[in-house]
Amino acid sequence: MFVPVAGGDLAVEIHDGDTPPALAIHGVSGSRKLWNWVAAHHFSLIAPDLRGRGDSFEVPGASIRQHADDMVRVLDALDLATVTVCGMSMGAYVAVDLAVRHPDRVRTLVLVDGGFPMPAHAQMTEELLSAAFAPQLAARERTWTVDEYLGVQAVVNPLIDATDPLIHEYFAHDLTADGHLRLSADTLIADATDVVFGTSRWQELTVPTWFVHAEWSTGPDSPPAYTVEQAQEFRTVLPVLREPVLINEVDHGGTVMTRAGAAVTAEVLAEALK
C-alpha cells in the first residue's frame, strides 16, 4: 500500500501473520525487505520503505524526526492506535524518536543494534562519514544486474548467504527495472549525519524496551557496535530497558539478514508482543 506523507507517498508492505501487528523500521541504506527473515517466523509486520529508498525512492527529505512523523502517518492510515515498534540500526533511532514524542502510539519497543549512542560515533568526522558511504554513492553511478549487485554485496557482507532466496529478493528490491540503485544520495547522507551527530533521546523512553545487539560489526571478529558492558550500562540508566540480548556469531546486518540472527530477533520481538 501507499501512505500519503509530506512530499509524496510512502510504500508500505504488510506481512500477515499470527501475532498482533508490529511496525518494523529498516536501517539507513536498507529497505522494507530487511524484515523478510523475521516475517518468516509468522509475524504480522508493517514494513515501510523509508523516504529515499526502494518504492519510496522519489519521496524527498530526511531526518530521524521526519521518518518518525512518517511512521505516525502510517499508523493513522492503518487505523492503529498503538503497536509494538521494532527498529534496526538507523530504524532503531527512528523508533526511539517515535516512542519519545508519541508514547501513546508505541506499546513496546525493540531496538536492534541501534537507538543508543554508539561509541564509534564519537570518533566520526564529516569527512570520515562521507568516506564510509562512498561505496553506496559510487554504486549509484552505474547500472547493475541483480546477480552483479548481489556479488558485490556478498563481499561487503561476508556473513550473508548469497544462495538464500530472501537475500536475492532483498538486493533486487534496491534496483530499478533498468538496473539503477534506488537510494537517494542526499537522503542517505542526511540521515547518516543525523544518526552520527544528532542526539538520541533514549534516556527519555517510558515504554517497555528490549535491546538486541550483535557480537561483531562488519564480519567475523570485527569490533561490535556495542559491547556487552555498554549494553548493561544502558540498562542501569534506563529503568524500562529489559535485559539486553547478545546474538553470537553475527554482525550488524546479520541480526536480521541471516537465519540465525533473525531467529533471535524474532524471539525477542515475540516477547515484546506479549
Side-chain angles (χ1 to χ4, degrees), residues 17-42:
D18 303 328
T19 68
L23 176 64
I25 310 173
H26 65 72
V28 68
S29 60
S31 74
R32 69 177 192 257
K33 297 298 183 181
L34 179 77
W35 299 104
N36 284 355
W37 290 266
V38 175
H41 290 263
H42 309 293

Side-chain angles (χ1 to χ4, degrees), residues 7-216:
D9 294 328
L10 211 67
V12 181
E13 184 171 2
I14 308 297
H15 296 269
D16 293 324
D18 303 328
T19 68
L23 176 64
I25 310 173
H26 65 72
V28 68
S29 60
S31 74
R32 69 177 192 257
K33 297 298 183 181
L34 179 77
W35 299 104
N36 284 355
W37 290 266
V38 175
H41 290 263
H42 309 293
F43 286 93
S44 298
L45 297 182
I46 305 155
D49 275 334
L50 299 183
R51 55 179 66 222
R53 290 97 169 163
D55 289 326
S56 305
F57 169 68
E58 295 184 354
V59 184
S63 76
I64 299 302
R65 187 183 184 93
Q66 178 67 75
H67 293 308
D69 288 343
D70 290 346
M71 297 304 97
V72 174
R73 302 287 82 78
V74 170
L75 297 180
D76 288 345
L78 292 169
D79 198 27
L80 290 169
T82 182
V83 295
T84 290
V85 178
C86 184
M88 186 267 179
S89 193
M90 184 198 75
Y93 294 91
V94 175
V96 167
D97 189 77
L98 176 63
V100 168
R101 291 196 295 115
H102 302 280
D104 57 317
R105 309 304 298 269
V106 179
R107 180 176 169 273
T108 54
L109 193 62
V110 177
L111 306 177
V112 183
D113 231 28
F116 296 105
M118 287 188 187
H121 290 172
Q123 313 301 321
M124 191 66 71
T125 64
E126 291 186 8
E127 293 75 16
L128 288 173
L129 183 67
S130 296
F133 287 99
Q136 287 94 327
L137 298 179
R140 299 177 67 256
E141 304 304 317
R142 56 160 290 183
T143 60
W144 302 86
T145 67
V146 175
D147 287 341
E148 288 172 340
Y149 187 57
L150 175 56
V152 170
Q153 294 301 324
V155 174
V156 176
N157 302 281
L159 294 181
I160 66 172
D161 178 5
T163 66
D164 184 348
L166 295 183
I167 285 287
H168 189 278
E169 181 181 351
Y170 176 83
F171 288 114
H173 186 67
D174 283 351
L175 302 176
T176 63
D178 59 357
H180 286 94
L181 189 61
R182 298 195 297 175
L183 178 65
S184 165
D186 291 341
T187 299
L188 176 67
I189 295 301
D191 281 341
T193 299
D194 203 9
V195 168
V196 172
F197 302 114
T199 301
S200 172
R201 299 175 64 182
W202 65 275
Q203 295 186 63
E204 300 175 50
L205 287 170
T206 57
V207 301
T209 301
W210 282 256
F211 179 48
V212 182
H213 60 115
E215 181 178 4
W216 306 316

